[in-house]
Amino acid sequence: MFKNLSAEGIGVSGRQSEVIESALSFGFKGIDFDLIDFQSQVKAHGMPHARRLLDSARLKIGTFRLPLVWDDSDTVYQEGLRQLPEFLELAKAVGASRAVTTINPANDARPYHENFEFHRRRLTEIGGLLAASEMRLGVDFVALPHARKGRAYQFVHTLDAVVMMVDMIRAANVGIVVDPWEIHAAGSSLEDIRKLPADRIIAVMLSDAPLDVEPAALTEADRLLPGETGKIDSAALLSMVSEMGYEGPITPKANRAKLSGMRRDQIVKLAGERVDQAWKAAGIAPSGKKLAPVKN
C-alpha cells in the first residue's frame, strides 16, 4: 500500500507542478492523475514535455477518473468508446493502471432490475477494454439519500449491492473503491469489506464523520479528514485491507468546507499527517506491509 494524494479529494487546486511538490513535501508516494488535462498538455506541448514532472518526481499514479460517459444513451456511449483508446494509451505511458468511476444511485429511465443488467453489461465491456491495456476499474457508490431524492427509480447505493454487481460482472479486473465514509453513510460496517477478495479492491479512501450526526442524516459537508473524531476507525480499515493483501493507493478525502481558512500546503500537510497516524496505529510498515507483532 502507499499513501496517495488526490488534490480534488481534499478540495485543493494548483498546477501539476504545485500538486507534485505538495505530495513530495509531505510524504505522499503517489498522486491521482487528471488524464483529460494530461491529454491537453500532450497535444499542446508533446509527450516528453507533458510527462517531465511526473518522471522527475518518481511518484506512483494512484487512480484516474475514467474519461467515459458510459451510463447514457448508446450514441453517447459509442462516441466515448471511440475516444477511449487514446486516453488509455496516454494513461499506460505514465504507468497509470487503476481507473475509477461512480455508479449513479438513482435515475429516471430504467427500473432497478433493468438498470442492473444495463450496468453489468456495460461495465463488463469496459472492463474488457481496460484489461487489454493491463488496467483495472474500480466502481464507487453514493449512499446519501439526497442523491436519490426526486428520481423515479432508485439504484445501487450500498456496499452489499455494489459487491453483488461486481460479482456478476464478467471481467475480473473490475472491482470496488472502498470508501468507508459512504459505507458508514449507508449504515453498513467496515467488516463488510471482508466479503471482497483483495484483487477486487481497486482503491481505498480514508475519511471520518461527526460523532453527533446519524448516518442517514449525513451530507457531503460532513466528510472529515481521517482521525478527526474517530467515528470511522481508519487504523482498523488499514489493518484489515493490509491483512487481506491489498497493495494499492490509500487516499485521504474530506470536504473543503471543513478546511476553510487553510492554505493548500497546510491542508495537504494535515491530510498526510492524519494518514500517517492511522498507518502507525494500524502497525503497518512504511513499505505498506503489516508489521509482525512484537514478541514479549
Side-chain angles (χ1 to χ4, degrees), residues 69-190:
V69 179
W70 55 269
D71 59 351
D72 207 316
S73 67
D74 286 341
T75 300
V76 172
Y77 176 56
Q78 293 300 327
E79 176 59 29
L81 287 183
R82 284 191 286 273
Q83 300 174 27
L84 188 60
E86 178 185 347
F87 281 114
L88 297 184
E89 183 178 349
L90 293 174
K92 190 171 184 178
V94 296
S97 63
R98 297 170 188 256
V100 295
T101 194
T102 302
I103 295 175
N104 193 327
N107 77 102
D108 295 322
R110 295 175 295 273
Y112 192 100
H113 294 295
E114 179 185 337
N115 204 23
F116 195 97
E117 174 58 22
F118 172 87
H119 279 66
R120 187 202 63 77
R121 185 174 64 252
R122 288 215 171 159
L123 290 172
T124 296
E125 181 177 9
I126 295 166
L129 295 173
L130 290 176
S133 298
E134 300 180 318
M135 295 182 186
R136 303 163 71 192
L137 176 64
V139 296
D140 58 14
F141 67 94
V142 179
L144 300 183
H146 78 80
R148 307 189 299 277
K149 187 176 181 180
R151 308 304 295 271
Y153 305 109
Q154 297 198 13
F155 193 51
V156 166
H157 56 272
T158 66
L159 179 62
D160 282 345
V162 177
V163 170
M164 181 186 299
M165 174 177 288
V166 166
D167 283 344
M168 296 182 68
I169 291 173
R170 292 193 297 271
N173 62 321
V174 177
I176 292 174
V177 176
V178 170
D179 185 337
W181 193 87
E182 296 288 359
I183 294 171
H184 171 67
S188 301
S189 166
L190 293 183

Side-chain angles (χ1 to χ4, degrees), residues 265-288:
D265 62 322
Q266 293 174 320
I267 294 172
V268 176
K269 181 176 185 290
L270 179 59
E273 289 173 346
R274 292 291 178 77
V275 176
D276 289 340
Q277 290 166 6
W279 206 277
K280 183 177 180 180
I284 300 173
S287 64

Side-chain angles (χ1 to χ4, degrees), residues 157-263:
H157 56 272
T158 66
L159 179 62
D160 282 345
V162 177
V163 170
M164 181 186 299
M165 174 177 288
V166 166
D167 283 344
M168 296 182 68
I169 291 173
R170 292 193 297 271
N173 62 321
V174 177
I176 292 174
V177 176
V178 170
D179 185 337
W181 193 87
E182 296 288 359
I183 294 171
H184 171 67
S188 301
S189 166
L190 293 183
E191 284 296 319
D192 292 337
I193 296 167
R194 295 191 186 275
K195 299 174 183 178
L196 296 166
D199 61 359
R200 286 292 179 110
I201 300 177
I202 308 301
V204 174
M205 316 303 292
L206 290 186
S207 300
D208 209 343
L211 293 173
D212 57 351
V213 181
E214 292 299 315
L218 289 170
T219 69
E220 191 60 43
D222 295 314
R223 185 187 284 269
L224 311 176
L225 281 175
E228 187 73 22
T229 67
K231 182 71 172 181
I232 298 174
D233 193 337
S234 293
L237 173 59
L238 289 182
S239 180
M240 182 188 305
V241 297
S242 176
E243 290 171 355
M244 292 170 67
Y246 173 70
E247 296 181 342
I250 302 293
T251 309
K253 185 175 182 180
N255 189 279
R256 183 67 173 82
K258 298 298 184 181
L259 304 167
S260 61
M262 299 177 66
R263 301 189 310 270

